[in-house]
Amino acid sequence: MLFRILGHLRVQEEVEVRSPIRRAILTALLLRVGQPIGMTELADLLWDDPPSSARANIRSHFTGLRRDLDRALPGLSRRIKTCRGTQSGYRIEAGPEEVDLPTFVQASRQGRTCLAWGEVEKAIAVLEDALALWRGPFGQDLPLTRWFDAHATGLRNGRLDTYEDLFTALLVAGRTEMLSYRIETIIAEAPYRQRLWELLAAVYCVQGDSAGALSVLNRCGAVLVEDLGLDVPPSIEAMRGAALAWDRDEAVRLVVNAASCRAQAPLGRNWPGAHGRLGTSGDTGPASLSGVLAG
């Protein structure tokens, strides 16, 4: 992978761009591969309140960034193009296979499509590979500006969506070993994602641990009610009913229905999970993550 931005920015896998401003410029260009970014927009995304010297500073940093790229790979600086005329600004040329973010988006979309058609084992493999591209949170070494914060939020949600798709596929496929642990680690990161709590409770139901499922749902209720002031949603109460009835098939059916609603399309007919039976199938229908790439 030539450029990696899902985590600390790296060029040629291990070469680091040391200057924070140069990292930010390169990241912005890679978020908009092939599209020019004008000088005014660059200043706005680098600083919430750009200094009067912003344009001169940016030109100086582009000179340094070109040196950094050539240090990583001789001639790589030629990927940065200066645009003139009505589309004046700077852009970078890179194929989707050379940048980890488009690779992640494509794999997430492919995995979700596989799930929609009931190709659950293929979906699991594709989604695992997609998530393996992440080496840490996006934006942790970038300026704390509104522009980068918006992208960080969108990418974080895309990553969490992909985890939820993966966990659903693993549950329906009956591959629940260590699954509760994996879900707990993501809940610790995103405690207000209701679907994660439902998935965790469903795992306990499938494993025959109704007490564990009820404990999870009580924790979820405490988070929603005490932290956010929300009523416990019907889907949580429905999962509680499945746990109280020791009904593992109902728990799976609830997960499948939630996935189908999220996809806004029926699940594939060849997916046994669509009928509430634990078996060998998948999750949601196609849904694009490409919005995170927009400026």
Side-chain angles (χ1 to χ4, degrees):
M1 194 71 64
L2 187 57
F3 298 106
R4 300 181 69 98
I5 61 176
L6 299 178
H8 290 290
L9 176 66
R10 293 291 185 271
V11 182
Q12 281 287 87
E13 297 295 342
E14 295 301 329
V15 178
E16 179 181 1
V17 177
R18 296 187 178 90
S19 163
I21 297 297
R22 294 175 200 169
R23 282 198 301 268
I25 290 172
L26 181 55
T27 300
L29 293 175
L30 291 170
L31 285 168
R32 301 260 292 269
V33 170
Q35 302 177 40
I37 303 180
M39 190 68 76
T40 300
E41 187 178 3
L42 277 170
D44 288 339
L45 66 86
L46 292 171
W47 300 280
D48 283 336
D49 185 16
S52 58
S53 59
R55 288 176 175 266
N57 290 345
I58 290 171
R59 291 191 183 95
S60 175
H61 281 296
F62 263 101
T63 300
L65 177 58
R66 286 186 168 99
R67 287 197 300 267
D68 292 338
L69 293 179
D70 283 336
R71 177 170 56 88
L73 182 67
L76 189 57
S77 65
R78 291 195 291 270
R79 297 291 190 98
I80 294 180
K81 306 296 183 181
T82 301
C83 306
R84 307 190 187 281
T86 56
Q87 294 291 322
S88 63
Y90 298 90
R91 63 181 170 86
I92 193 167
E93 294 181 347
E97 73 285 351
E98 295 179 312
V99 186
D100 57 0
L101 176 55
T103 303
F104 167 74
V105 171
Q106 182 179 4
S108 295
R109 186 183 297 120
Q110 180 187 358
R112 196 164 299 160
T113 300
C114 291
L115 291 171
W117 289 99
E119 300 173 357
V120 64
E121 294 297 334
K122 181 178 179 181
I124 291 170
V126 171
L127 293 169
E128 292 277 24
D129 286 346
L131 290 164
L133 292 168
W134 286 79
R135 296 161 296 104
F138 171 83
Q140 58 188 337
D141 53 358
L142 296 174
L144 300 176
T145 62
R146 290 185 294 271
W147 195 89
F148 280 115
D149 183 66
H151 279 276
T153 299
L155 289 171
R156 177 176 179 270
N157 286 333
R159 173 176 166 268
L160 293 172
D161 287 345
T162 304
Y163 265 116
E164 290 173 351
D165 290 341
L166 173 62
F167 295 153
T168 302
L170 289 167
L171 173 68
V172 177
R175 292 167 55 175
T176 60
E177 183 179 0
M178 295 297 291
L179 183 53
S180 61
Y181 169 77
R182 294 187 68 179
I183 298 174
E184 286 276 17
T185 62
I186 304 302
I187 286 178
E189 177 185 336
Y192 302 134
R193 301 272 298 203
Q194 176 186 323
R195 190 178 174 210
L196 289 172
W197 290 103
E198 294 172 8
L199 284 162
L200 182 58
V203 170
Y204 281 106
C205 284
V206 165
Q207 294 174 336
D209 185 357
S210 287
L214 291 171
S215 175
V216 167
L217 295 170
N218 287 338
R219 288 166 54 201
C220 174
V223 168
L224 296 178
V225 174
E226 296 174 12
D227 290 6
L228 302 179
L230 299 174
D231 292 333
V232 176
S235 58
I236 294 295
E237 292 301 337
M239 188 64 72
R240 188 186 305 278
L244 289 169
W246 299 83
D247 192 340
R248 61 187 299 215
D249 286 345
E250 174 66 5
V252 174
R253 187 187 69 79
L254 291 170
V255 168
V256 170
N257 285 350
S260 182
C261 289
R262 179 180 172 209
Q264 297 181 345
L267 295 171
R269 292 182 181 179
N270 57 331
W271 187 4
H275 307 289
R277 298 190 300 274
L278 186 67
T280 57
S281 312
D283 180 29
T284 70
S288 173
L289 293 175
S290 60
V292 300
L293 294 172

